[in-house]
Amino acid sequence: MELLEGERARRRVSLDCMPPPEPQLAYERAERLRRWRRPKGAAMVPLAFVAKGVVRNLDTEGPDGQSLPVLGREENGELALAALACQFERELGPIAKDVYPYLEQIVFGSPEEAVAAVTGLSPTAGAETDDVEFEGVSGPLIDLAFDLARSFLLVVLVPRDLVGTRTVLKFSFDWTASRTPAGIFTGVLASAGYRTQPFALDVGDPSWAASYHLDVRVQAPLQARSLSLPSADDGEASAGGDKGLGTLIHASASYPYSPPPDREATLQVGVEAASIRLVAILVSLFTASVFQLALWLDGARDALLEAPDGAVAVLLAAPAVGIALLAGAGESHLAAALLRPLRWITLSCAALLAVASATLVGHLHEPWLTWFWIGSAWLAAAFATYLTVPVIHGTVWAVLLRRSEPSEV
């Protein structure tokens, strides 16, 4: 998964699998009927369930990087309907005329209408959830019905030479990264480095995966600090996490018998120190130094009042630089949320310097001039202290850890 600008993200999936050499998977109907010889042409291989809706920039590739065709909406729906009807007849016998419209609605209807059709299959259904109890119906049939109600099958046409051999099939598409609710103080603390910001990612449905791997890439200056996958439902398979400080992070898990009950991975994100955090620190230190030196040095403010042109030029240059560094085009909403407090600090310091230049030009009277400069000095110093403490703590901690490591002989 790669988080791009705004809520846009890119999901790339690679499946290490072996398409079964089943004659009934042949795409050409005539080839499926010729069971006395090896079928020719492409084979239909279902890769995954994809949520119903508009799929943007869908790409499917084979092991050599060559594009693979996918079934269209009508062919896809007919295949899904045939699978659902086959499972229904296998468990409940022939399909009645009043039941078949429900099956069609499950496959071709919108997610809301389709889920309602699933619950309408049983007179005992009282709610539109997966917890509905169906009398005389097995779990696999209900699971298939709910999956086809919310999703469609992504079926690719694989060349015949790849059937029956181990290969890697890939598909990718754009998706919307849902926002993770977070409090104001959480974002403020995470932006300064006091803690990390959690972000939930939908892992899909890794059913019966012997080895499931997830890579997440974030945009600089964000850092992926840790990534944890959900545990398996049977309690036997464990999910392993990974830690890092770069923009790319990896985690793996195993779901050989059942999918995880919770389909969300947790990504912990922080802000790189040598980025806009450093800019905010330097701007706040510069702002605090200007006001403090003007108060502490004898005759400093008098010199500024007597020669306002040069002083005003210096004080206005810093806000211009600070505002120029606030640009955030092309950021993801996660990056924008974490960097927003740092930009507000930089903008506040720039505003203080701009107002200070106005007090010099306008010759603000005492005691207002002194009060403004004292308040600005304390506010900028508070910003600098707040942003610098995590940097000092991290540096000291890194030094202590380095010293505690055993030396090589």
Side-chain angles (χ1 to χ4, degrees):
M1 303 179 185
E2 183 176 5
L3 303 181
L4 304 175
E5 67 274 4
E7 294 186 355
R8 180 173 166 265
R10 185 74 176 170
R11 185 188 294 263
R12 298 179 177 89
V13 181
S14 299
L15 294 175
D16 185 350
C17 59
M18 182 182 294
E22 172 60 49
Q24 293 300 310
L25 293 178
Y27 176 66
E28 298 294 339
R29 181 177 178 84
E31 296 295 328
R32 293 197 295 268
L33 298 177
R34 298 174 182 175
R35 302 187 179 184
W36 61 86
R37 65 174 177 83
R38 182 180 177 87
K40 299 180 180 179
M44 298 180 294
V45 178
L47 294 185
F49 286 106
V50 180
K52 288 183 178 179
V54 179
V55 181
R56 296 177 174 85
N57 299 326
L58 174 64
D59 296 323
T60 56
E61 298 179 357
D64 55 355
Q66 187 176 1
S67 298
L68 299 177
V70 298
L71 293 187
R73 186 174 185 273
E74 293 299 325
E75 290 181 319
N76 192 297
E78 292 176 1
L79 188 64
L81 181 60
L84 183 61
C86 179
Q87 184 71 14
F88 191 95
E89 290 182 338
R90 181 180 300 175
E91 296 190 13
L92 302 179
I95 301 175
K97 292 183 178 180
D98 58 339
V99 174
Y100 200 80
Y102 283 98
L103 303 182
E104 290 182 324
Q105 188 67 30
I106 292 173
V107 175
F108 294 100
S110 64
E112 294 77 12
E113 297 172 345
V115 171
V118 175
T119 58
L121 288 175
S122 174
T124 61
E128 299 179 3
T129 66
D130 292 355
D131 298 330
V132 176
E133 294 183 0
F134 294 84
E135 296 181 355
V137 183
S138 68
L141 174 57
I142 298 304
D143 291 340
L144 178 62
F146 273 114
D147 286 335
L148 293 177
R150 300 190 180 101
S151 312
F152 67 88
L153 275 173
L154 177 61
V155 182
V156 300
L157 301 183
V158 177
R160 179 56 59 175
D161 58 349
L162 295 180
V163 175
T165 61
R166 182 174 177 179
T167 184
V168 176
L169 303 178
K170 306 175 182 179
F171 65 95
S172 58
F173 57 93
D174 290 350
W175 61 291
T176 301
S178 59
R179 295 176 179 267
T180 302
I184 298 177
F185 293 104
T186 302
V188 172
L189 293 175
S191 63
Y194 287 91
R195 56 161 297 167
T196 56
Q197 172 68 47
F199 188 66
L201 295 172
D202 183 11
V203 298
D205 188 7
S207 303
W208 320 111
S211 180
Y212 179 86
H213 299 261
L214 176 63
D215 293 337
V216 180
R217 183 182 298 275
V218 297
Q219 291 178 323
L222 296 188
Q223 288 182 331
R225 301 292 178 84
S226 66
L227 178 64
S228 59
L229 290 171
S231 299
D233 192 14
D234 50 31
E236 297 182 3
S238 60
D242 195 2
K243 294 183 178 181
L245 291 177
T247 58
L248 180 65
I249 194 168
H250 169 85
S252 61
S254 179
Y255 308 106
Y257 303 109
S258 63
D262 182 12
R263 300 181 180 183
E264 287 188 345
T266 302
L267 173 67
Q268 298 288 345
V269 182
V271 181
E272 184 182 0
S275 62
I276 190 174
R277 279 179 60 190
L278 180 60
V279 173
I281 292 174
L282 295 178
V283 171
S284 58
L285 286 174
F286 173 80
T287 305
S289 300
V290 168
F291 286 107
Q292 289 289 359
L293 291 176
L295 293 172
W296 291 346
L297 297 179
D298 294 335
R301 276 193 302 165
D302 295 335
L304 291 175
L305 292 173
E306 293 175 359
D309 294 338
V312 170
V314 173
L315 293 179
L316 287 180
V321 173
I323 294 174
L325 293 172
L326 295 177
E331 291 178 345
S332 64
H333 70 78
L334 177 61
L338 283 179
L339 300 181
R340 189 177 297 115
L342 299 175
R343 292 195 172 107
W344 277 111
I345 290 177
T346 306
L347 187 61
S348 299
C349 292
L352 291 177
L353 293 175
V355 175
S357 64
T359 61
L360 295 177
V361 175
H363 296 280
L364 184 65
H365 298 292
E366 295 289 355
W368 307 107
L369 180 61
T370 302
W371 290 354
F372 170 76
W373 283 65
I374 293 176
S376 300
W378 279 99
L379 182 59
F383 288 154
T385 303
Y386 174 74
L387 295 174
T388 307
V389 167
V391 176
I392 298 175
H393 177 269
T395 303
V396 173
W397 186 251
V399 172
L400 294 177
L401 288 178
R402 192 178 300 112
R403 291 183 176 179
S404 63
E405 294 178 355
S407 60
E408 297 182 359
V409 178

